[in-house]
Amino acid sequence: MKTIGLLSGKGGVGKTSTAINLAAGLNSYGKQTIIIDANLTTPNIGIHLGSPSNSITLHHVLQGKNSIHEALYRHHSGLYFIPGSLALENMEKLKVNNLKAIKELKTDYIILDGAAGLGKEALATLEHCDELLIVTNPELPAMTDALKTIRIAEELGKEVKGIIVTRTKKDKFDISLRNIEAMLEKPIIGVIPEDPTLREALALKGSIVYTHPHSNAARSYLRLAAAICGQKGEEEMKLNWIDKFFKVFKRVPQ
Ligand SMILES: Nc1ncnc2c1ncn2[C@@H]1O[C@H](COP(=O)(O)OP(=O)(O)OP(=O)(O)O)[C@@H](O)[C@H]1O
Ligand SMILES: [Mg+2]
């Protein structure tokens, strides 16, 4: 089992979108993956994937009230996830160190969807992951915060495996991939283009890998998943498989 943490420094760069769609990609390669909403102050995995609002959440686990297994949900697509609580009162008496309970889960991959910033909750993701991926956008403010996150991770002895650049527009305002690698001194392992299907998938409470498998962003997330689990070049085969398997759920034509 490998625990992958997603951090960025800057907020709103695409960590949660990456957590969901990378997990769906890994699933489609036969790797069982659990997404954990480690964004404790503003969690939204449950909203993205439609978990019941009064359910047991990661917050209950961190408060010591429930076991990690009781907070585990299965999306109809087969994705497993542990949501955070939306209720303000559940923010109290959290023992972030209880996040170590994730080690009790049996799965191929855990993805920790981290919080923005570099505060206590983001550091909890850093502490409890095996390896860290930095999600960033090809813009200077995002890159500056990504660099700060990398420096802190290295100071704490955590391996930064690579960079995922999301929301690329390939226009003259994007910082080039070569410059991003030069600045951050880490390899880019995924590039996800700006794609409107992300918003549509949110409305459908699903992953674009299932709702819009032929979209540019879904293909990019499949490539990223393949790179992470070591199965390169099988993206087309996966798409055929996903088409067959999920045709019952397909509601939005491409
Ligand atoms: N490739 C993309 N193309 C278009 N929109 C995107 C893409 N990736 C993410 N978005 C949109 O950007 C917004 C922020 O994305 P997301 O919630 O994944 O970021 P985040 O880093 O998790 O934010 P936070 O730091 O607040 O947790 C969302 O509205 C999402 O739909
Ligand atoms: Mg998020």
Side-chain angles (χ1 to χ4, degrees), residues 91-137:
M91 298 273 301
E92 288 162 18
K93 296 185 183 142
L94 294 182
K95 288 200 180 113
V96 179
N97 197 33
N98 283 350
L99 202 51
K100 62 178 185 287
I102 62 176
K103 293 280 174 221
E104 294 166 26
L105 295 166
K106 300 265 179 292
T107 185
D108 297 314
Y109 289 93
I110 289 175
I111 297 181
L112 287 176
D113 177 23
L118 289 165
K120 201 169 140 192
E121 50 180 337
L123 294 185
T125 291
L126 194 56
E127 188 183 335
H128 290 93
C129 68
D130 298 319
E131 59 189 43
L132 192 65
L133 297 179
I134 303 291
V135 182
T136 196
N137 297 153

Side-chain angles (χ1 to χ4, degrees), residues 47-233:
I47 296 172
H48 277 262
L49 296 177
S51 64
S53 56
N54 56 351
S55 49
I56 296 170
T57 65
L58 182 65
H59 287 74
H60 297 83
V61 178
L62 299 185
Q63 287 169 332
K65 291 180 182 162
N66 291 89
S67 79
I68 192 99
H69 302 284
E70 289 173 307
L72 186 63
Y73 296 83
R74 186 180 186 277
H75 186 253
H76 62 71
S77 63
L79 276 178
Y80 284 92
F81 65 103
I82 295 183
S85 170
L86 301 180
L88 272 179
E89 59 267 27
N90 283 330
M91 298 273 301
E92 288 162 18
K93 296 185 183 142
L94 294 182
K95 288 200 180 113
V96 179
N97 197 33
N98 283 350
L99 202 51
K100 62 178 185 287
I102 62 176
K103 293 280 174 221
E104 294 166 26
L105 295 166
K106 300 265 179 292
T107 185
D108 297 314
Y109 289 93
I110 289 175
I111 297 181
L112 287 176
D113 177 23
L118 289 165
K120 201 169 140 192
E121 50 180 337
L123 294 185
T125 291
L126 194 56
E127 188 183 335
H128 290 93
C129 68
D130 298 319
E131 59 189 43
L132 192 65
L133 297 179
I134 303 291
V135 182
T136 196
N137 297 153
E139 295 171 355
L140 215 45
M143 301 269 303
T144 311
D145 293 354
L147 189 57
K148 216 181 269 178
T149 311
I150 293 170
R151 293 283 176 270
I152 290 190
E154 285 176 344
E155 268 173 32
L156 295 174
K158 194 64 71 173
E159 186 189 0
V160 178
K161 193 80 178 166
I163 310 292
I164 302 166
V165 186
T166 69
R167 309 198 68 168
T168 59
K169 296 169 191 74
K170 291 195 182 139
D171 61 16
K172 63 178 178 177
F173 299 111
D174 268 12
I175 299 176
S176 73
L177 298 182
R178 194 194 304 169
N179 282 343
I180 293 174
E181 280 193 336
M183 221 174 130
L184 301 183
E185 297 178 330
K186 296 288 168 200
I188 292 174
I189 61 163
V191 178
I192 317 295
E194 177 79 12
D195 193 325
T197 60
L198 269 292
R199 287 186 64 217
E200 292 179 34
L202 179 60
L204 293 170
K205 296 196 185 309
S207 154
I208 53 165
V209 169
Y210 302 129
T211 60
H212 301 76
H214 295 280
S215 65
N216 287 333
R219 285 168 180 267
S220 304
Y221 275 120
L222 276 171
R223 271 196 293 275
L224 172 63
I228 285 178
C229 67
Q231 297 190 35
K232 293 204 174 99

Side-chain angles (χ1 to χ4, degrees), residues 12 14-17 37 39 42 44 48 113-116:
K15 295 179 294 300
T16 300
S17 308
D37 199 338
N39 190 337
T42 50
N44 39 43
H48 277 262
D113 177 23

